[in-house]
């Protein structure tokens, strides 16, 4: 009997439907001839909690840290025991096994860890599916690979999971305990990705709060030229009072020049006219789609991910969505025209876009050298019927289809002109842009283009027809939104100061991964470190206090972005994962040594009233299998005041004992729900 283990039931159903023969439903599996298809439910296993290694760790004590397992253990998730039992029985009967996890790092881990946990010792084949339509699944079944080829991907995922456990368990315990010594009642969770993301937002909020607007002044002149009129702007010189962006901070120099400008004559001293050609924006990766959807439709990053999962699994309209790639395989190009025509026949917008596409073109987006484990998001070819989808689902599908269709449009061709004029021995500049070939541009809405300049000839005379001064104020940085925060995580090198690290990070994946960035933002929101205000993301007082209390290295992106680079090297270049964990442990010990109640007390005092209040949780218990929100870690629970109905005097005595223990600096035993909360916070392994 052949056993195929899929990552989730929807994938299992797609595989069973593509197999020859009649499908029979069984308990936790599907039977098709001699093949059984079963599934995981996300992660069936999770890293064992600290007290599974030593019962002493049920009590939270600073002198226990760092907690480092000598031999790592996995334990079944509570609600996964039934499906794990089904897989155990099927594996005993199987004579061949197929791994059908999603084609990414986490998909490789969650199926392979089950296979190893259940003791399978035979060879394993790998089934890679990025499109749930039957023809695509059939092709994948015909091209099974050896799972050993993907062992580096598994090693990278396992290293990431263990790193997150070590980082989250140890630092969360350390700062929770020091926080309580400083008077903060609640769990303070720290994660290798979530905390630097929180740091980005908190620092941006501080920059906005500290910002003092300054006036600056712009002098313009309307110039008459042989073929018409244009507006040019004066370029102050270095001896004028300028800010770091070259803006004039004093009005007097502009006023002095303005007094002599009306009717003044000058000359066009430098003309630069260039014809430019621009390719269409590439098909989407998940993060690029999240950025565009947030800007265009104000969808959160998590909304976009959820919609993409529905389009992939339920509707089978798009290919695998959790992709970090923006290129498509070359062998997809030949059939893409027919595929898109079939997909878009029922939608007016898509039909309109398809009329201008030339499917004989050879777009740069089709490039095997740029495609890794998965390719860019694309339609599957299944007919798109908007009435069968929600409006958000239809909107996201159209974005995905549009970017693929645009690859078959001509390039955008423009003529860009920069002109420099000398008037009264001062420099004025103007620029314009003329669209020569619209190409793919009509498929995209964008900001207004700079109007074209009239025809110009270098050396021609000009006369000032009018002039004036615009008085303006410098503006603070914009608060982060879902779109700008996802973009910041993608391009994290912009937020790094050290030149050598900045150069290295330009070539890496950034902060977090395609699959985790949305979850990181949602986790920070659920734990009360961020809130949404009018579409903006702002840090709460608790979030600000945590960032101020932690060592700077734990709140900045350099370290964790470099860790992602190391994980990528493990996955793609086969590097050993133990040196990565050894380096992490060295960093961890250094960070733990910086845990200080005095610094925490000062941070709590400085940030009291800073930032908006977090929204109150709507539920005490997060649903099983979902990332912990920290909701269970309210002040009452974390101080040991259980809602058990016991007399208040007993609870007060227990609280008093705990406070004395904290003040001694040696230990604290969080309430039962707090321990569970910290376990939940590390279960998913994406970040803590």
């Amino acid at each position: 009997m052949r056993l195929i283990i899929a990552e989730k039931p929807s994938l299992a159903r797609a595989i069973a439907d593509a197999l020859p023969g009649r499908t029979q439903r069984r308990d936790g599996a599907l039977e098709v001839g001699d093949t059984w298809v079963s599934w995981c439910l996300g992660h069936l296993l999770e890293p064992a909690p600290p007290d599974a290694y030593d019962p002493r760790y049920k009590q939270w004590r600073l002198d226990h840290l760092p907690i480092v397992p000598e031999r790592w253990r996995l334990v079944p998730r509570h609600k996964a025991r039934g499906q794990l039992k089904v897989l155990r029985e099927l594996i005993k009967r199987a004579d061949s096994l197929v791994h059908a996890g999603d084609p990414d790092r986490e998909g490789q881990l969650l199926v392979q860890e089950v296979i190893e946990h259940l003791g399978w010792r035979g060879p394993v084949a790998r089934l890679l599916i990025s499109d749930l339509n039957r023809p695509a699944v059939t092709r994948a079944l015909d091209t099974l690979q050896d799972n050993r080829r993907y062992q580096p991907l598994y090693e990278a995922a396992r290293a990431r999971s263990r790193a997150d456990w070590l980082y989250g368990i140890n630092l969360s315990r350390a700062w929770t305990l020091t926080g309580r010594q400083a008077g903060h009642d609640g769990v303070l969770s720290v994660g290798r990705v979530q905390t630097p993301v929180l740091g980005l937002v908190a620092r941006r909020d501080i920059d906005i709060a500290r910002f003092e607007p300054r006036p600056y002044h712009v002098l313009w002149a309307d110039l008459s030229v042989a073929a018409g009129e244009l507006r040019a702007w004066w370029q102050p010189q270095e001896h004028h009072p300028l800010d770091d962006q070259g803006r004039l901070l004093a009005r007097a120099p502009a006023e002095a020049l303005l007094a002599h400008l009306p009717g003044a004559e000058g000359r066009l001293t430098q003309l630069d006219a260039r014809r430019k050609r621009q390719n269409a924006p590439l098909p989407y990766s998940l993060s690029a789609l999240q950025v565009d959807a947030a800007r265009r439709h104000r969808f959160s990053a998590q909304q976009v991910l959820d919609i993409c999962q529905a389009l992939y699994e339920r509707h089978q309209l798009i290919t695998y969505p959790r992709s970090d790639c923006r290129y498509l395989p070359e062998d997809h190009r030949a059939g893409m025209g027919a595929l898109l025509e079939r997909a878009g026949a029922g939608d007016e917008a898509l039909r309109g876009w398809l009329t201008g596409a030339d499917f004989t073109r050879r777009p740069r987006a089709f490039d095997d050298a740029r495609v890794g484990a998965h390719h860019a998001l694309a339609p599957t070819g299944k007919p798109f019927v908007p009435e069968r989808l929600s409006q958000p689902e239809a909107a996201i599908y159209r974005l995905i289809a549009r970017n693929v269709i645009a690859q078959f449009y001509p390039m955008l061709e423009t003529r860009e002109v920069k002109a420099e004029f000398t008037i009264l021995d001062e420099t004025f500049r103007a620029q314009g842009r003329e669209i020569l070939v619209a190409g793919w541009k009509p498929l995209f809405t964008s900001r207004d283009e700079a109007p074209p300049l009239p025809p110009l000839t270098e050396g021609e005379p000009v006369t000032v027809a009018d002039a004036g001064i615009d008085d303006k104020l410098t503006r603070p940085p914009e608060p982060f939104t879902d779109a700008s925060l996802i973009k910041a995580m993608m391009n994290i090198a912009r937020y790094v100061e050290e030149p050598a690290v900045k150069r290295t990070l330009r070539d890496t994946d950034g902060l977090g991964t395609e699959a985790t960035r949305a979850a990181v933002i949602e986790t920070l929101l659920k734990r009360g470190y961020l809130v949404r205000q009018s579409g903006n993301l702002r840090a709460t007082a608790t979030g600000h206090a945590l960032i101020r209390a932690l060592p700077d290295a734990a709140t900045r992106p350099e370290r964790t972005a470099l860790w992602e680079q190391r994980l990528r090297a493990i996955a793609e270049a086969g590097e050993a994962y133990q040196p990565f964990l050894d380096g992490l442990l060295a960093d961890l010990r250094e960070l733990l040594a910086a845990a200080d109640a005095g610094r925490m007390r000062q941070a709590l005092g400085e940030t009291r009233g800073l930032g908006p209040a977090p929204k109150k949780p709507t539920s005490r218990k997060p649903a099983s299998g979902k990332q912990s929100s920290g909701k269970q870690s309210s002040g009452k629970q974390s101080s040991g005041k259980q809602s058990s109905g016991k007399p208040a005097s007993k609870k007060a005595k227990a609280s008093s004992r705990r406070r004395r223990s904290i003040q001694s600096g040696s230990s604290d035993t969080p309430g039962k729900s707090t321990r569970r909360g910290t376990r939940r916070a590390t279960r998913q392994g994406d970040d803590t």
Side-chain angles (χ1 to χ4, degrees):
M1 183 263 281
R2 178 174 67 163
L3 173 62
I4 301 176
I5 303 178
E7 179 164 334
K8 53 182 76 75
S10 58
L11 179 59
R13 288 192 295 270
I15 294 169
D17 290 344
L19 291 168
R22 186 169 65 91
T23 300
Q24 300 182 66
R25 294 184 178 276
R26 305 300 185 195
D27 182 20
L30 301 168
E31 181 183 2
V32 189
D34 190 43
T35 298
W36 285 63
V37 186
S38 190
W39 53 82
C40 299
L41 302 165
H43 281 277
L44 298 182
L45 303 167
E46 62 186 2
D51 55 87
Y53 297 100
D54 190 328
R56 294 181 306 136
Y57 296 150
K58 283 187 177 180
Q59 187 181 50
W60 289 25
R61 296 176 58 96
L62 289 171
D63 56 6
H64 287 163
L65 307 179
I67 299 170
V68 183
E70 291 185 8
R71 185 173 181 179
W72 289 88
R73 294 170 55 187
L74 296 172
V75 295
R77 290 178 181 274
H78 177 67
K79 291 194 175 181
R81 294 179 186 276
Q83 189 60 22
L84 201 60
K85 183 179 179 181
V86 169
L87 289 169
R88 180 178 286 108
E89 294 303 316
L90 289 174
I91 278 181
K92 289 178 182 177
R93 295 164 45 201
D95 49 40
S96 67
L97 190 61
V98 180
H99 179 317
D102 281 351
D104 62 7
R105 203 166 69 189
E106 209 61 25
Q108 187 67 33
L109 173 68
L110 70 84
V111 174
Q112 189 161 335
E113 68 184 5
V114 168
I115 292 171
E116 294 186 358
H117 181 77
L118 296 179
W120 175 263
R121 294 291 179 264
V124 179
R126 185 64 164 97
L127 175 61
L128 294 167
I129 296 174
S130 58
D131 180 343
L132 295 186
N133 277 314
R134 185 168 182 167
V137 177
T138 301
R139 288 194 300 272
L141 285 163
D142 291 339
T143 55
L144 294 177
Q145 302 181 45
D146 189 335
N147 190 56
R148 289 178 297 185
R149 179 178 176 183
Y150 298 93
Q151 185 66 19
L153 201 64
Y154 171 65
E155 298 288 354
R158 186 169 61 173
R160 193 273 314 145
S161 177
R162 292 176 178 179
D164 284 339
W165 191 99
L166 290 167
Y167 201 87
I169 289 288
N170 286 290
L171 296 188
S172 295
R173 287 191 175 204
W175 263 265
T176 295
L177 291 171
T178 55
R180 288 177 183 167
Q181 291 174 2
H184 177 76
D185 223 5
V187 171
L188 291 172
S189 65
V190 182
R192 68 177 184 92
V193 177
Q194 76 165 42
T195 304
V197 172
L198 175 61
L200 287 176
V201 179
R203 279 186 283 273
R204 174 65 59 86
D205 286 351
I206 290 170
D207 288 344
I208 294 170
R210 291 176 176 172
F211 181 82
E212 294 184 5
R214 300 183 67 183
Y216 69 99
H217 313 279
V218 178
L219 172 60
W220 53 267
D222 287 340
L223 307 180
S224 295
V225 296
E229 194 171 275
L230 58 87
R231 177 163 290 189
W233 284 264
W234 177 47
Q235 306 299 303
Q237 301 303 309
E238 291 183 359
H239 65 272
H240 292 116
L242 307 176
D243 66 8
D244 57 359
Q245 296 186 38
R247 295 176 296 201
L248 183 67
L249 299 178
R251 204 174 196 274
E255 290 176 337
L257 178 57
L258 177 64
H260 299 91
L261 277 178
E265 296 183 350
R267 189 169 298 279
L268 173 54
T269 50
Q270 189 173 329
L271 181 65
D272 181 10
R274 299 185 182 184
R275 186 165 178 149
K276 292 190 175 181
R277 305 177 76 209
Q278 185 179 347
N279 284 299
L282 288 165
Y284 284 118
S285 65
L286 175 60
S287 289
L289 177 62
Q290 287 168 323
V291 170
D292 272 9
R295 288 174 174 166
R296 190 179 181 91
H297 301 293
R298 299 183 68 84
F299 294 157
S300 73
Q302 188 63 45
Q303 279 180 289
V304 176
L305 177 56
D306 292 342
I307 290 168
C308 285
Q309 284 297 130
L311 291 173
Y312 171 61
E313 294 181 8
R314 188 185 320 142
H315 304 295
Q316 299 180 13
L317 285 169
I318 66 169
T319 56
Y320 180 72
R322 296 174 182 249
S323 173
D324 61 353
C325 179
R326 300 197 67 177
Y327 290 84
L328 295 165
E330 292 176 7
D331 62 5
H332 285 207
R333 182 183 60 81
M336 189 58 74
L339 182 152
L340 291 170
E341 295 280 1
R342 185 168 63 251
D347 183 63
E348 183 179 352
L350 266 63
R351 287 198 307 270
W353 294 338
L354 286 164
T355 57
D358 176 6
F359 292 108
T360 65
R361 299 179 64 86
R362 302 184 67 87
R364 68 184 179 114
F366 294 83
D367 186 349
D368 287 343
R370 305 269 193 143
V371 175
H374 29 258
H375 55 69
L377 280 66
T380 60
K382 185 176 180 179
F384 167 54
V385 183
E387 295 76 17
R388 296 179 184 172
L389 276 64
S390 67
Q391 287 187 346
E393 287 172 340
I396 292 296
Y397 180 83
R398 288 191 183 100
L399 288 180
I400 293 168
R402 179 203 63 183
N403 271 40
V404 176
I405 294 170
Q407 306 310 308
F408 297 94
Y409 269 68
M411 285 186 176
L412 168 65
E413 296 187 31
T414 59
R415 183 172 179 267
E416 299 190 13
V417 178
K418 295 181 180 180
E420 187 171 293
F421 305 88
T422 301
I423 305 167
L424 301 177
D425 295 325
E426 296 288 342
T427 299
F428 289 76
R429 287 178 184 158
Q431 60 183 29
R433 190 171 188 247
E434 179 184 2
I435 294 179
L436 304 175
V437 178
W440 51 265
K441 189 72 172 176
L443 276 66
F444 295 76
T445 57
S446 63
R447 59 190 176 188
D448 294 338
E449 301 288 345
L453 298 178
L456 297 170
T457 303
E458 189 167 319
E460 70 173 282
V462 301
T463 303
V464 178
D466 193 10
I469 299 172
D470 291 338
D471 298 315
K472 300 187 176 186
L473 286 175
T474 56
R475 299 176 60 184
E478 293 289 334
F480 276 114
T481 62
D482 278 73
S484 60
L485 188 54
I486 287 284
K487 192 168 184 179
M489 295 167 76
M490 293 168 63
N491 302 288
I492 201 62
R494 296 179 184 177
Y495 301 87
V496 172
E497 297 176 359
E498 188 177 336
V501 177
K502 183 185 284 284
R503 285 193 299 272
T504 300
L505 293 184
R506 287 197 187 104
D507 299 325
T508 67
D509 289 334
L511 194 58
T513 67
E514 304 291 321
T516 62
R517 285 172 185 145
V520 167
I521 295 173
E522 292 303 312
T523 295
L524 289 167
L525 289 163
K526 290 174 182 176
R527 290 180 179 169
Y529 298 149
L530 295 182
V531 293
R532 281 199 180 94
Q533 288 187 332
S534 303
N536 297 324
L537 294 166
R538 310 299 291 260
T540 63
T542 303
H544 278 288
L546 180 59
I547 293 303
R548 292 195 187 192
L550 283 163
D552 200 48
T555 70
R556 292 192 175 273
E558 288 89 335
R559 179 176 301 177
T560 190
L562 288 171
W563 286 353
E564 283 294 340
Q565 182 187 26
R566 293 288 303 276
L567 291 171
R568 186 174 181 179
I570 295 169
E572 298 181 3
E575 290 189 6
Y577 79 88
Q578 192 57 48
F580 164 74
L581 287 181
D582 291 343
L584 183 150
L585 284 171
D587 288 342
L588 189 60
R589 289 187 173 92
E590 182 180 330
L591 292 171
L592 288 171
D596 179 70
R599 178 171 174 168
M600 175 63 77
R601 190 176 295 109
Q602 181 180 358
L604 290 168
E606 291 173 347
T607 56
R608 190 169 290 115
L610 178 63
K615 293 181 179 178
K616 292 182 179 180
T618 56
S619 171
R620 301 290 291 179
K621 291 184 179 180
S624 176
K626 298 206 174 171
Q627 190 133 2
S628 165
S629 65
K631 293 173 184 174
Q632 70 281 10
S633 302
S634 67
K636 287 184 179 180
Q637 288 174 317
S638 57
S639 64
K641 298 179 183 178
Q642 307 285 332
S643 56
S644 60
K646 293 180 181 180
S649 59
K650 290 184 178 180
K651 290 192 287 185
K653 290 177 182 178
S655 177
S656 176
R657 284 196 298 270
R658 272 187 287 274
R659 283 196 170 91
R660 286 197 300 270
S661 177
I662 293 170
Q663 288 165 1
S664 72
S666 61
S667 70
D668 184 32
T669 306
K672 190 175 182 180
S673 64
T674 297
R675 290 198 301 270
R676 288 178 178 169
T678 303
R679 290 178 190 174
R680 288 194 185 104
T682 56
R683 277 178 179 172
Q684 302 306 314
D686 290 341
D687 188 35
T688 54

